[in-house]
C-alpha cells in the first residue's frame, strides 16, 4: 500500500528545513526537521512522529556538502521511517514571486527561469530556494514541484503601499514594496477566519515576531500594508537585520568609511538588529535574561518600533479590531507582548495580564475595544495545502 504524501522544503543559505505531510485528507504532519550548517559542520535534527525518538546527530560533510546531498540524506531518513510514503508533490517556500505571482505555482522550466530572474531582488535567499527546487527535481523527476511565495499574500496592496517615491521607471523595473512572511500571514489570517470570522472580516494587524520580524495590516482577509518592503530588510529590527534605516547611512558607510557594498550588506543583514544593538546576541531569550544595559536598550528599540508601526498600520486600516501575535517571540514572550501593549488603550487595546501570563489565545480583557490574540503560525501547512491543491488540479494521466 502506498501513502500519498507531500514533502515541503524551505532552503536557506546553509539550511534545509523539511516536513512530510499525509495528504490523503486535510494535510497531517508526519515528520519535521532540518539540516543546518550545510557545507560546514552539518547537523540533522528531525522529529519523525511520536513513537520514534527525536533524531539529532552530526552529519559528515559528504552527507550535506550542498543542498542536493542534504536532500539525499533527508530522503534516506524519510524512506527508512516511512517506507510506504510516496511523494507525488514537493512544495517549496520561495521568498520572492516578483510583481506577478500572487498564488502558488507549479514549477515548470519557464517558471524556474522567471524565479532565477528574480534573484537580484532577493540575492541572499532566492538562489538557495532555487537550489532546493533543483535538488528536489533531480531527486523526484516525477513529482510535481510547487513554489509558494512569501510575497504572494501582499500582491494586492493599493498603489500607495506598493511604490517608493523614486523615478517612475524603477517601479516598472520591479522596485516595489513587496512585503514578506506572506505564508505566515496567510496561515494566521485563515485561523482567524476559522475561530473568529467577525474579526477576520475587520481590521487586523498581525505581528510576526521571530528572528525575522514584520507586521502586516489586513483588511477583510487581504493584506493592505506590510512593514517589509523591497527586501526583507525593511521595517522592524530583527535578530540580525537592521529594519528601517535612512538610506543615507549607506552613502556614509561607502563614501566616508570606504566600505564595499558587500560589507554594507553584511552589516545590514548579519550584524545589526538585536545583535548589533546589544552586542550580545540575536536571541530574545538571551537578551531578556542578560540583565545588562545594552540588552535592555536593544529590547527597548524593538518594542518602540513595533508600537510605532502598529500606529501606522492602524491608520492605514482606518482603525483596529484585532492585534495578533505570532512567531517565536510573539508566541512565547509574555514580557515583550506586555511591553508592546502597555498603555495602548488609546487605540482600544487592553491587555489582560493573567491571560497573557498563561499564554491564552485571547489575551485582551473582556472590556478591551480591540482584541489581542496569540495564534501560533504554521508556514509548512500552508505549503502542504497548496501542494495538495495543485496536485489534485492536475489532469489525470491515462494509465
Ligand atoms: P522564530 O524565528 O520564529 O523561530 O523565533 C526565534 C526567536 O524567538 C528568538 O529570538 C528566540 O529567542 C525567541 N523566543 C523563542 N522562545 C522564546 C521565549 N520563551 N521567550 C522569549 N523569546 C523567545
Amino acid at each position: 500500500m502506498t501513502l500519498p504524501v507531500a514533502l515541503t522544503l524551505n532552503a536557506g543559505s546553509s539550511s534545509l528545513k523539511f516536513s512530510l505531510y499525509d495528504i490523503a485528507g486535510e494535510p497531517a504532519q508526519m515528520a519535521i526537521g532540518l539540516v543546518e550548517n550545510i557545507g560546514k559542520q552539518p547537523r540533522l535534527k528531525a522529529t519523525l512522529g511520536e513513537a520514534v525518538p527525536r533524531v539529532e546527530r552530526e552529519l559528515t560533510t559528504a552527507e550535506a556538502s550542498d543542498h542536493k546531498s542534504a536532500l539525499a540524506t533527508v530522503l534516506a531518513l524519510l524512506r527508512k521511517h516511512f517506507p510506504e510514503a510516496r511523494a507525488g508533490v514537493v512544495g517549496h517556500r520561495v521568498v520572492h514571486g516578483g510583481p506577478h505571482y500572487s498564488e502558488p505555482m507549479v514549477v515548470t522550466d519557464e517558471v524556474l527561469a522567471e524565479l532565477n530572474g528574480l534573484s537580484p531582488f532577493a540575492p541572499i535567499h532566492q538562489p538557495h530556494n532555487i537550489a532546493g527546487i533543483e535538488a528536489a527535481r533531480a531527486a523526484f523527476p516525477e513529482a510535481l514541484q510547487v513554489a509558494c511565495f512569501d510575497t504572494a499574500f501582499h500582491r494586492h496592496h493599493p498603489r500607495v503601499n506598493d511604490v517608493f517615491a523614486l523615478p517612475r521607471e524603477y517601479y516598472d523595473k520591479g522596485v516595489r514594496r513587496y512585503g514578506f512572511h506572506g505564508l505566515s500571514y496567510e496561515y494566521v489570517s485563515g485561523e482567524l477566519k476559522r475561530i473568529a470570522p467577525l474579526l477576520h472580516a475587520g481590521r487586523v494587524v498581525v505581528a510576526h515576531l521571530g528572528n525575522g520580524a514584520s507586521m502586516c495590516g489586513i483588511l477583510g482577509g487581504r493584506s493592505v500594508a506590510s512593514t517589509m518592503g523591497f527586501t526583507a530588510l525593511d521595517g522592524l529590527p530583527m535578530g540580525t537585520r537592521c529594519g528601517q534605516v535612512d538610506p543615507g547611512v549607506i552613502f556614509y558607510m561607502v563614501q566616508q568609511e570606504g566600505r564595499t557594498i558587500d560589507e554594507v550588506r553584511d552589516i545590514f543583514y548579519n550584524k545589526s538588529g538585536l545583535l548589533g544593538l546589544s552586542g550580545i546576541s540575536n536571541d530574545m531569550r538571551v537578551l531578556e535574561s542578560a540583565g545588562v544595559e545594552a540588552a535592555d536598550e536593544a529590547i527597548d528599540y524593538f518594542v518602540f518600533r513595533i508600537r510605532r508601526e502598529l500606529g501606522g498600520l492602524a491608520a492605514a486600516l482606518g482603525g483596529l479590531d484585532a492585534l495578533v501575535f505570532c512567531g517565536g517571540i510573539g508566541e512565547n514572550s509574555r514580557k515583550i507582548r506586555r511591553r508592546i501593549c502597555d498603555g495602548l488603550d488609546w487605540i482600544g487595546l487592553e491587555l489582560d495580564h493573567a491571560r497573557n501570563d498563561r499564554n491564552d489565545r485571547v489575551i485582551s480583557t473582556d472590556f478591551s475595544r480591540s482584541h489581542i490574540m496569540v495564534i501560533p503560525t504554521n508556514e509548512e501547512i500552508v505549503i502542504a495545502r497548496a501542494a495538495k491543491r495543485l496536485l489534485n488540479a492536475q489532469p489525470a494521466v491515462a494509465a
Side-chain angles (χ1 to χ4, degrees):
M1 197 191 82
T2 59
L3 177 68
V5 297
L7 179 68
T8 74
L9 295 178
N10 178 359
S13 55
S14 60
S15 67
L16 182 68
K17 295 184 185 147
F18 63 90
S19 54
L20 193 68
Y21 280 85
D22 172 351
I23 54 169
E26 161 69 4
Q29 194 175 73
M30 301 160 69
I32 184 164
L34 87 159
V35 179
E36 59 190 6
N37 250 336
I38 292 175
K40 292 174 207 142
Q41 288 177 311
R43 277 185 80 75
L44 170 71
K45 296 179 185 165
T47 306
L48 304 158
E50 278 166 21
V52 182
R54 192 176 146 72
V55 176
E56 187 158 351
R57 65 178 169 91
E58 306 276 333
L59 297 174
T60 62
T61 320
E63 282 177 302
S65 58
D66 55 14
H67 287 92
K68 197 171 166 199
S69 54
L71 179 60
T73 302
V74 167
L75 293 180
L77 179 81
L78 294 176
R79 283 188 180 127
K80 185 170 150 208
H81 285 275
F82 305 103
E84 74 287 10
R86 199 185 62 80
V89 60
V90 185
H92 300 266
R93 181 178 184 177
V94 177
V95 70
H96 222 299
H100 305 304
Y101 291 139
S102 58
E103 292 289 337
M105 292 293 294
V106 171
V107 180
T108 58
D109 288 343
E110 295 73 42
V111 170
L112 197 58
E114 264 202 70
L115 298 185
N116 257 314
L118 294 169
S119 286
F121 289 176
I124 310 276
H125 297 102
Q126 193 87 343
H128 304 295
N129 300 160
I130 290 169
I133 296 177
E134 283 170 345
R137 274 183 136 192
F140 297 101
E142 261 129 59
L144 197 70
Q145 308 291 331
V146 169
C148 299
F149 307 103
D150 262 320
T151 49
F153 187 68
H154 306 292
R155 281 327 301 141
H156 302 291
H157 283 179
R159 192 174 165 92
V160 285
N161 272 331
D162 200 28
V163 294
F164 294 105
L166 292 168
R168 288 186 83 92
E169 69 202 67
Y170 282 97
Y171 183 82
D172 299 333
K173 286 178 183 168
V175 180
R176 305 180 188 188
R177 287 184 203 275
Y178 289 99
F180 297 87
H181 287 138
L183 300 173
S184 174
Y185 293 128
E186 184 179 335
Y187 177 80
V188 171
S189 178
E191 280 297 283
L192 198 61
K193 187 173 187 181
R194 193 175 63 77
I195 58 190
L198 286 179
L199 288 181
H200 172 265
R203 302 157 297 182
V204 178
V205 170
V206 181
H208 176 111
L209 308 178
N211 200 31
S214 71
M215 293 165 74
C216 180
I218 305 176
L219 191 62
R222 277 204 161 198
S223 167
V224 296
S226 158
T227 58
M228 278 183 170
F230 179 55
T231 66
L233 265 185
D234 204 359
L236 304 178
M238 303 171 222
T240 62
R241 284 174 259 166
C242 55
Q244 189 273 329
V245 289
D246 180 339
V249 173
I250 300 172
F251 309 140
Y252 171 81
M253 287 179 169
V254 171
Q255 290 179 328
Q256 307 303 319
E257 295 193 315
R259 291 187 188 274
T260 64
I261 285 296
D262 282 343
E263 286 171 348
V264 176
R265 181 186 290 125
D266 185 43
I267 292 172
F268 279 27
Y269 273 96
N270 302 320
K271 297 185 172 148
S272 299
L274 295 174
L275 174 67
L277 272 176
S278 68
I280 297 172
S281 174
N282 63 323
D283 191 311
M284 185 56 87
R285 278 167 296 199
V286 175
L287 298 184
E288 280 188 344
S289 56
V292 296
E293 199 178 347
D296 293 343
E297 282 176 3
I299 296 175
D300 288 348
Y301 182 72
F302 184 69
V303 169
F304 170 75
R305 289 297 320 192
I306 292 166
R307 287 163 62 91
R308 199 178 140 158
E309 295 288 353
L310 178 64
L313 290 169
L317 292 169
L320 186 66
D321 297 308
L323 168 64
V324 184
F325 289 103
C326 66
I329 300 170
E331 289 165 27
N332 297 300
S333 177
R334 303 159 171 86
K335 272 194 215 158
I336 297 290
R337 290 195 305 252
R338 185 176 187 146
R339 289 197 50 192
I340 291 169
C341 296
D342 225 16
L344 285 187
D345 36 343
W346 64 271
I347 207 172
L349 296 173
E350 196 180 85
L351 188 72
D352 182 313
H353 294 284
R355 289 175 180 169
N356 184 47
D357 289 345
R358 282 199 306 266
N359 255 337
D360 283 359
R361 180 191 280 161
V362 176
I363 57 172
S364 43
T365 66
D366 292 341
F367 307 104
S368 185
R369 270 189 292 125
S370 311
H371 286 67
I372 315 172
M373 299 176 77
V374 180
I375 299 183
T377 196
N378 187 344
E379 290 152 314
E380 282 79 21
I381 200 163
V382 175
I383 300 174
R385 284 175 184 156
K388 177 179 172 172
R389 198 169 61 242
L390 291 188
L391 180 68
N392 289 349
Q394 292 300 297
V397 179

